[in-house]
Amino acid sequence: MTTTAEDVRAIALSLPDSSEKLAWGMPTFRVGGKIFAALGDDDTSIGVKCPKEDRAGLIAAEPAKFFIREGHDDNYAWLRVRLVSVEDAGELRWILADSWLQAAPKRLAAAHPELGGG
């Protein structure tokens, strides 16, 4: 299965109180007014929230899947994901839900414990 931009859109918008808004010419997905995912400008990757201290380990473990855009993501809690390397819809949902949980208001996140792990 090849993961596509449409898969990202469908899963992101299925998360509670999520919406889509264009920013910088790219589709972004938001919860509580905060971006939790953004499609790359060529629809082959997404950006998601990720604590800075976790990025190096993820990139080292799966460099074909995870990366940062040097000079752009350095100072932000953000990680890029190559869609071609995502195993299936379940993994994509887990990645997007994890990012959603980081951006969602605490009360909203707490109301959705089903999104809390994997």
Side-chain angles (χ1 to χ4, degrees):
M1 173 191 150
T2 301
T3 305
T4 68
E6 285 308 310
D7 297 325
V8 171
R9 179 172 281 109
I11 292 171
L13 293 175
S14 76
L15 296 169
D17 293 342
S18 295
S19 62
E20 181 176 347
K21 182 178 180 181
L22 277 179
W24 312 285
M26 298 178 287
T28 63
F29 302 94
R30 300 166 185 250
V31 60
K34 294 182 182 177
I35 297 172
F36 70 90
L39 278 166
D41 50 7
D42 62 0
D43 287 352
T44 64
S45 66
I46 56 172
V48 293
K49 294 190 71 62
C50 179
K52 285 200 261 185
E53 60 272 11
D54 294 345
R55 294 187 312 189
L58 288 167
I59 293 168
E62 296 187 80
K65 185 180 296 180
F66 300 114
F67 68 104
I68 61 170
R69 253 181 30 198
E70 299 292 334
H72 186 270
D73 299 329
D74 302 337
N75 298 315
Y76 300 99
W78 205 249
L79 180 71
R80 308 287 169 148
V81 183
R82 290 180 184 91
L83 294 178
V84 70
S85 297
V86 174
E87 293 177 23
D88 56 27
E91 182 183 28
L92 180 60
R93 181 168 176 77
W94 186 89
I95 290 168
L96 290 168
D98 183 66
S99 186
W100 181 93
L101 286 165
Q102 293 175 63
K106 289 181 178 158
R107 187 176 302 174
L108 180 60
H112 294 280
E114 74 279 6
L115 299 177

